[in-house]
């Protein structure tokens, strides 16, 4: 049984072209995946910074509240109570401590 050389070379050319197209597609998908990973890392850092700022604000308000500097019977005290309310609302958006950290699976 003989193989037609024209058919054989046609099949080879088709397979090589198919492999090149697949490599191009895989390369583009890999670049996109790496880009999305970088974006996720940046957004995670941003969210962690916001959460840290919320935590620092909470600590500062707690320190002021413990000192009893502001009384609730005057305007400043009422403003302080409103600030505590705003801080309580912000506390709902704090991230867990391990947010964005990779978990090592055994």
């Amino acid at each position: 049984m003989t193989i037609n050389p024209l058919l054989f070379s046609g099949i080879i050319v088709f397979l090589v072209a198919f492999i090149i197209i697949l490599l191009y597609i895989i390369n583009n998908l890999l670049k996109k995946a790496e880009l999305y990973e970088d974006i996720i890392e940046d957004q995670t850092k941003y969210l962690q910074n916001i959460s840290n700022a919320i935590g620092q604000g909470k600590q500062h308000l707690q320190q002021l509240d413990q000192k009893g500097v502001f009384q609730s019977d005057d305007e400043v005290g009422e403003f302080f109570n409103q600030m505590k309310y705003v801080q309580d609302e912000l506390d709902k958006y704090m991230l867990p401590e391990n947010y964005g950290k990779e978990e090592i699976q055994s």
Side-chain angles (χ1 to χ4, degrees):
M1 182 162 139
T2 60
I3 297 177
N4 184 351
L6 185 61
L7 178 64
F8 182 72
S9 61
I11 291 173
I12 297 295
V13 167
F14 173 76
L15 290 177
V16 167
F18 185 70
I19 290 173
I20 290 173
I21 291 171
L22 284 179
L23 287 174
Y24 176 76
I25 291 171
I26 291 171
N27 188 30
N28 281 342
L29 290 174
L30 179 63
K31 287 179 183 178
K32 287 180 184 180
E34 289 173 352
L35 175 67
Y36 292 143
E37 287 175 357
D38 293 341
I39 291 171
I40 289 171
E41 286 178 15
D42 291 342
Q43 289 177 347
T44 300
K45 289 177 186 176
Y46 176 74
L47 290 174
Q48 287 173 337
N49 289 338
I50 289 174
S51 183
N52 290 339
I54 291 171
Q56 290 172 355
K58 179 180 180 178
Q59 289 176 350
H60 187 66
L61 279 178
Q62 285 177 345
Q63 289 172 353
L64 290 175
D65 196 25
Q66 288 175 354
K67 291 179 183 177
V69 176
F70 301 106
Q71 298 177 357
S72 61
D73 59 346
D74 60 357
E75 291 178 14
V76 175
E78 184 60 33
F79 179 75
F80 183 72
N81 286 337
Q82 290 296 321
M83 287 297 296
K84 288 194 316 186
Y85 173 75
V86 169
Q87 184 64 48
D88 289 339
E89 291 298 313
L90 285 174
D91 289 345
K92 295 177 184 176
Y93 299 101
M94 285 187 63
L95 300 173
E97 291 294 324
N98 62 349
Y99 182 83
K101 296 179 182 169
E102 292 184 23
E103 296 181 12
I104 299 173
Q105 298 176 355
S106 300

